[in-house]
Amino acid sequence: MAHETAVPLRARQRDNPSLATVTGTELARNKRGFIFWYHLLAPVIVTVPLFLGALGSSEAKAGQTFEVFRNVTLEFWGVLVPMTAGLAAALAVRADQDPWRLLLSYGVPRGRYFVGKVAALGVLGFVSSTVLLVMLSLGSVISGRFPEGMGTVVAAVYLPWLVGLSMTALAVLVAVMWGMGPSIGVGVAGLLCGALVSDKVFWFAVPFAWPMRVVLPLAGIGPNGVPLPKDSPVTEMSAIPLALGLAAVLTVVLLFLGRLHMIRKEI
């Protein structure tokens, strides 16, 4: 009798996995692939040549090696966050086209596949941001500017990731609905808007520019990496809570739409 009741229980657990289980499965599937190594190594590949370049800059002679390294790195990171979201979403969803034909035939609530994928890519983005913070910290130590040189670096590293979760959700939704090319297009649009729109007065109307916009007042730089004058409106910190609020709303909407699409998706 105990065996007869245990089998349905296991079946119910199989057909109703928690979101944490789905997310963990997504992470386990990607831990040896390109997506994982990209998130792990991209900050290293970006920061090493930038630090070497900062050593040879004219500012280095004035003892501002770390400041140059920090500013240029954060500039690159602000535009790389949405680009990474588009690329990672495109590759992750493409890899799932065949498995989903089987998975969608189970009784598992389909919306969890979408939310779990966004959450897994978000975790990888957090790992990537942490590696970047470590590299910036090493740069400050080598330059003799640790810890006073770090200032708002922690916020400037993690806030773009947090705001960029909306871009991850958008890229995954686009990849699920229209495929790899349009999803990469989301990343390219984020890169361009971060460089061209993030310092404009209408930045809040362009979600692709939000990750870069939160970097600018924290680092005190423009999208081109040049320090901003103190009276520049771009340095106003009020842009940060606005970007966070807008990103949170957009993320919730996109997760809802993604779940709805997966529920209606034909096998």
Side-chain angles (χ1 to χ4, degrees):
M1 183 66 68
H3 176 72
E4 293 177 357
T5 58
V7 173
L9 177 61
R10 287 197 297 269
R12 289 196 299 272
Q13 291 174 339
R14 180 198 66 188
D15 291 339
N16 190 31
S18 66
L19 180 58
T21 298
V22 175
T23 302
T25 302
E26 287 283 345
L27 289 170
R29 292 179 62 242
N30 287 306
K31 67 181 180 180
R32 292 186 179 88
F34 171 80
I35 295 176
F36 172 78
W37 287 108
Y38 174 88
H39 281 85
L40 195 64
L41 296 178
V44 179
I45 294 172
V46 167
T47 53
V48 170
L50 290 180
F51 183 76
L52 295 176
L55 288 175
S57 66
S58 58
E59 290 84 352
K61 299 177 182 178
Q64 296 182 331
T65 300
F66 177 70
E67 285 74 11
V68 174
F69 169 58
R70 178 194 62 201
N71 290 351
V72 178
T73 298
L74 293 176
E75 174 203 356
F76 266 82
W77 196 247
V79 297
L80 190 62
V81 166
M83 184 67 227
T84 297
L87 177 62
L91 295 176
V93 172
R94 183 181 183 183
D96 276 347
Q97 293 304 308
D98 290 332
W100 272 350
R101 291 189 179 96
L102 174 63
L103 292 173
L104 294 180
S105 65
Y106 284 102
V108 177
R110 291 180 170 191
R112 293 181 192 174
Y113 292 132
F114 181 86
V115 179
K117 186 169 291 295
V118 173
L121 293 178
V123 170
L124 290 175
F126 180 83
V127 171
S128 192
S129 296
T130 302
V131 175
L132 178 70
L133 180 61
V134 170
M135 297 302 294
L136 285 168
S137 299
L138 288 175
S140 69
V141 170
I142 295 172
S143 304
R145 297 283 288 130
F146 186 87
E148 64 274 8
M150 296 297 287
T152 57
V153 168
V154 175
V157 167
Y158 285 114
L159 283 178
W161 162 76
L162 191 59
V163 173
L165 291 177
S166 60
M167 292 297 95
T168 298
L170 176 61
V172 172
L173 178 59
V174 170
V176 169
M177 295 183 69
W178 295 298
M180 184 174 182
S183 180
I184 293 177
V186 169
V188 173
L191 187 152
L192 294 175
C193 289
L196 301 175
V197 180
S198 58
D199 61 341
K200 303 298 188 293
V201 294
F202 56 88
W203 66 268
F204 57 86
V206 185
F208 304 107
W210 297 346
M212 184 64 174
R213 185 63 183 87
V214 298
V215 171
L216 303 184
L218 290 169
I221 58 174
N224 56 0
V226 176
L228 294 167
K230 294 183 179 180
D231 59 347
S232 172
V234 181
T235 61
E236 294 180 3
M237 293 294 181
S238 59
I240 295 176
L242 177 57
L244 288 171
L246 291 171
V249 172
L250 181 59
T251 302
V252 170
V253 171
L254 291 171
L255 290 177
F256 173 79
L257 293 176
R259 290 181 68 255
L260 188 63
H261 176 74
M262 290 298 293
I263 291 171
R264 297 181 176 182
K265 185 178 178 66
E266 295 183 1
I267 300 175

